[in-house]
Amino acid sequence: MKKIIVPILFFILSATAGKAQTILPAQYQELVKKLVANLPKNTTVTEKSSSTNSTTLIDFAKSMLGIPYRYATSNPKVGFDCSGFVSYVFSNFGFKVPRSSREFSYAGKETSLENAKVGDVLIFTGTNSRIRRIGHVGIVYSIDENGIKFIHASSGKAHQVTITDLNGHYKDRFMKIVSIL
């Protein structure tokens, strides 16, 4: 008999507890209605808010200039590798992005260099441009008449978070660009 009563009591308590949690007191119901009423009706991202987001993102990334390169690290107190840096920057703004440079090729929406925007993620080969395998990432920092600059954690001469022109060596290594914002 106890074997039957215990599951029945458990079921009744679970059902009533779940129901109690879904009913809000009147004062909170009114507050929730006001908050919902003030939410924006249009959920599309406008050009202005998109540029504001990229500006904020780039300003945050720029605050880490000079932090040393450190393989397999995504901690500003210790250092960054390339994907650790990019992942850290985007994660700070609530974006769920990959931790490895290879996985960035599947993140966001692929675009072209002609349609690149500040805040897009550039994906490159490793240091040997002849081996067409993803091995480096950076964030578009600026676009002007002189071309694209990107911010990244470089394992090269700079050996730190730095800003680099997308030309020469990096242009040869370029594989694709994705938009996360």
Side-chain angles (χ1 to χ4, degrees):
M1 184 74 166
K2 284 185 182 179
K3 289 182 181 180
I4 295 174
I5 292 175
V6 171
I8 291 173
L9 285 174
F10 180 77
F11 176 76
I12 291 170
L13 287 172
S14 297
T16 57
K19 188 173 184 180
Q21 290 174 353
T22 60
I23 299 173
L24 290 173
Q27 66 192 35
Y28 293 120
Q29 287 179 2
E30 203 54 42
L31 179 62
V32 169
K33 284 180 188 175
K34 285 180 185 176
L35 290 171
V36 170
N38 289 328
L39 287 174
K41 303 291 185 246
N42 186 356
T43 58
T44 59
V45 176
T46 64
E47 197 62 37
K48 186 176 180 195
S49 68
S50 176
S51 68
T52 301
N53 288 339
S54 64
T55 300
T56 306
L57 183 111
I58 291 302
D59 285 344
F60 179 71
K62 194 165 73 171
S63 73
M64 289 174 263
L65 284 170
I67 291 177
Y69 177 87
R70 181 130 186 212
Y71 179 74
T73 309
S74 60
N75 181 341
K77 293 178 182 172
V78 179
F80 291 110
D81 67 3
C82 65
S83 59
F85 171 70
V86 174
S87 177
Y88 182 82
V89 169
F90 278 96
S91 295
N92 185 69
F93 294 93
F95 292 95
K96 293 190 185 307
V97 292
R99 176 55 188 86
S100 84
S101 54
R102 286 188 186 130
E103 291 172 4
F104 266 100
S105 92
Y106 305 110
K109 181 181 176 193
E110 188 170 351
T111 187
S112 65
L113 283 176
E114 294 78 29
N115 295 320
K117 294 184 295 242
V118 172
D120 286 350
V121 176
L122 294 163
I123 301 169
F124 302 94
T125 67
T127 53
N128 185 343
S129 63
R130 291 178 300 222
I131 301 173
R132 302 304 292 172
R133 190 174 354 152
I134 295 170
H136 190 65
V137 290
I139 303 170
V140 174
Y141 175 80
S142 66
I143 304 170
D144 59 23
E145 64 278 350
N146 297 322
I148 295 175
K149 290 183 185 232
F150 64 102
I151 187 168
H152 62 123
S154 172
S155 65
K157 273 191 281 187
H159 212 72
Q160 64 184 353
V161 175
T162 189
I163 298 169
T164 305
D165 291 319
L166 178 62
N167 60 22
H169 178 63
Y170 281 103
K171 191 83 162 182
D172 293 342
R173 292 174 55 191
F174 175 77
M175 293 189 73
K176 71 191 278 190
I177 182 169
V178 295
S179 185
I180 307 286
L181 298 176

